[in-house]
Amino acid sequence: MSDPALVSYLLRLGDDRLVLGHRLSEWCGHGPILEEDIALTNMSLDLIGEAALLLKLAGEQEGKGRDEDALAYFRDAIDFRNALMLELPKGDFGFTIVRQFLFSVFSLLQMEALQRSKLDALAGIAAKTVKESRYHVRHCAQWVITLGDGTDESHTRAQHALDDLWRYTGELFMADDIDREVAAAGIGVDPSTLIEPWQAQVGEVFIRAGLTVPKAGYMQRGGREGRHTEHLGHMLAEMQIVARSHPGATW
Amino acid sequence: MAENTRSNQHQATAPADTQWPLWEVFVQPPKGAPHEHAGSVHAATAEQALQNARDVYSRRGEAVSIWVVPSRLITASTPEDMGPFFDPGNDKPYRHPQFYKAPRGVKVF
């Protein structure tokens, strides 16, 4: 297997979590209640921690001397490989929770499979991530049910969020040559194999929440090849400004 | 400024706590020690209280088990109970077994 495929694959794993982790961190100090503010930022830190490990591994596999900070702070939007869903602005609390739930179930399935990766370092990261994802799923599923089965307003907002997000879910499961190559080597997992258990798990929670899963339709894509929405550039400008203004700074 | 004044008045008349119900949190440290009161969290449901307690009080490996209890279900003593409840009863020496001789070989604390 060629290294570039593995590096791209690891960047996809890391960027998903870095970008979503940053979006969640935007809630810091803005949560609907103190306890939930803490919960959101805890999940944010989990994701950024996972991203740091994955990007570090990507840098090592690449062998060009880039560490996780270089990859996080000194790449432009076109070099990011996250799925589009994760870079969308944080929206209201309903949007944040529904997105987090959709991704967390995906992440749990993906990382459960990656625990069996032939790349030991990746299997180790997956084992750590599974534990965190399991809690994220539990926390978000409970909120999805609370919002969907709550007041008229919370139900409407949660349903709108689900309607808006659905067209971005397909990209999580689209496999290309990179995915297939890494999966064939026993290192990665083909994301298209995860869609059935994912649909079953999220569907069960949406039924309990009284939310309607949108009909399958056109699915947005492009993030895995670096074709992003306008939102990622703005987000990176804020996320990267300090590291780029003061390269090598420590505190 | 007018806006500020109005909101201040509103705060002054609003109930002190407009948040979700309060829950008391008890965490059990590792090594089998009994559950100890750690603090309190707000939550709408028991499951949410458990999750909030986990996030607030057990993020650094402090706990192997968590209990949450609605604060309103706790019956507490009041400061007026100080005398009758907690008088140490020093005039009742049989409550303080210091006068027993510890057998040899038993460590005296």
Side-chain angles (χ1 to χ4, degrees), chain B:
Chain B
M1 287 313 287
E3 193 70 22
N4 268 342
T5 316
R6 197 162 57 233
S7 74
N8 285 343
Q9 280 170 353
H10 173 72
Q11 278 176 4
T13 53
D17 190 348
T18 55
Q19 303 203 64
W20 294 325
L22 198 62
W23 302 69
E24 299 302 322
V25 179
F26 300 83
V27 300
Q28 183 175 34
K31 299 178 188 167
H35 287 72
E36 283 180 5
H37 187 233
S40 54
V41 293
H42 291 97
T45 64
E47 166 67 15
Q48 199 179 64
L50 205 53
Q51 292 183 12
N52 289 346
R54 175 264 192 196
D55 281 333
V56 176
Y57 294 109
S58 72
R59 282 284 289 179
R60 294 167 200 87
E62 298 96 327
V64 293
S65 163
I66 300 178
W67 292 345
V68 290
V69 183
S71 302
R72 64 182 168 77
L73 293 185
I74 290 181
T75 309
S77 64
T78 64
E80 291 82 69
D81 295 330
M82 264 309 269
F85 268 48
F86 305 120
D87 180 70
N90 284 336
D91 55 334
K92 303 182 178 88
Y94 46 87
R95 287 187 181 170
H96 303 275
Q98 284 93 338
F99 49 81
Y100 290 103
K101 279 209 177 84
R104 271 177 300 155
V106 173
K107 201 174 164 190
V108 180
F109 291 97

Side-chain angles (χ1 to χ4, degrees), chain A:
Chain A
M1 191 192 67
S2 64
D3 274 344
L6 177 57
V7 173
S8 297
Y9 183 74
L10 292 170
L11 286 177
R12 291 172 178 182
L13 294 177
D15 287 347
D16 275 357
R17 288 155 184 86
L18 177 63
V19 169
L20 184 60
H22 186 82
R23 282 299 186 204
L24 265 186
S25 79
E26 294 173 352
W27 279 99
C28 185
H30 300 275
I33 184 169
L34 175 68
E35 285 82 349
E36 187 58 24
D37 196 295
I38 294 170
L40 291 172
T41 39
N42 272 337
M43 287 193 288
S44 166
L45 285 173
D46 285 345
L47 289 166
I48 293 169
E50 295 161 8
L53 294 171
L54 289 162
L55 292 179
K56 180 166 181 280
L57 184 58
E60 288 166 2
Q61 293 292 328
E62 185 189 47
K64 291 183 187 164
R66 293 202 284 182
D67 64 4
E68 63 272 30
D69 285 343
L71 289 169
Y73 295 119
F74 293 92
R75 278 183 302 152
D76 294 328
I78 198 170
D79 300 318
F80 272 72
R81 293 291 177 268
N82 58 285
L84 298 178
M85 181 172 85
L86 309 172
E87 71 200 39
L88 300 175
K90 75 183 196 301
D92 60 15
F93 181 64
F95 186 90
T96 284
I97 285 294
V98 172
R99 169 169 61 187
Q100 193 63 42
F101 174 65
L102 295 170
F103 178 76
S104 296
V105 175
F106 166 75
S107 177
L108 180 56
L109 292 166
Q110 185 182 45
M111 288 295 166
E112 278 175 346
L114 286 178
Q115 289 183 107
R116 297 184 291 276
S117 171
K118 285 184 182 164
L119 183 61
D120 288 345
L122 181 56
I125 296 169
K128 165 188 152 65
T129 305
V130 160
K131 279 188 262 177
E132 294 172 344
S133 296
R134 200 163 276 145
Y135 180 74
H136 299 176
V137 168
R138 179 173 168 178
H139 186 79
C140 295
Q142 188 244 330
W143 265 118
V144 167
I145 293 165
T146 302
L147 296 177
D149 195 24
T151 63
D152 285 346
E153 179 170 4
S154 73
H155 175 85
T156 306
R157 284 179 184 240
Q159 185 65 55
H160 278 165
L162 183 55
D163 294 344
D164 288 346
L165 282 161
W166 196 253
R167 80 190 71 129
Y168 293 97
T169 56
E171 190 183 20
L172 297 173
F173 305 98
M174 289 176 190
D176 63 6
D177 289 345
I178 289 172
D179 295 306
R180 284 186 283 268
E181 193 178 329
V182 179
I187 290 178
V189 53
D190 180 341
S192 62
T193 61
L194 305 175
I195 192 161
E196 279 183 26
W198 181 84
Q199 282 173 336
Q201 286 186 35
V202 301
E204 190 185 330
V205 171
F206 288 135
I207 287 171
R208 287 179 60 197
L211 295 170
T212 311
V213 174
K215 288 196 184 73
Y218 177 74
M219 288 292 175
Q220 300 282 350
R221 65 182 305 174
R224 300 292 189 217
E225 292 87 40
R227 295 194 310 279
H228 290 279
T229 68
E230 60 177 316
H231 306 295
L232 182 64
H234 295 292
M235 194 202 94
L236 292 182
E238 189 174 310
M239 188 183 94
Q240 296 176 332
I241 179 75
V242 174
R244 290 190 180 208
S245 304
H246 306 278
T250 55
W251 64 85

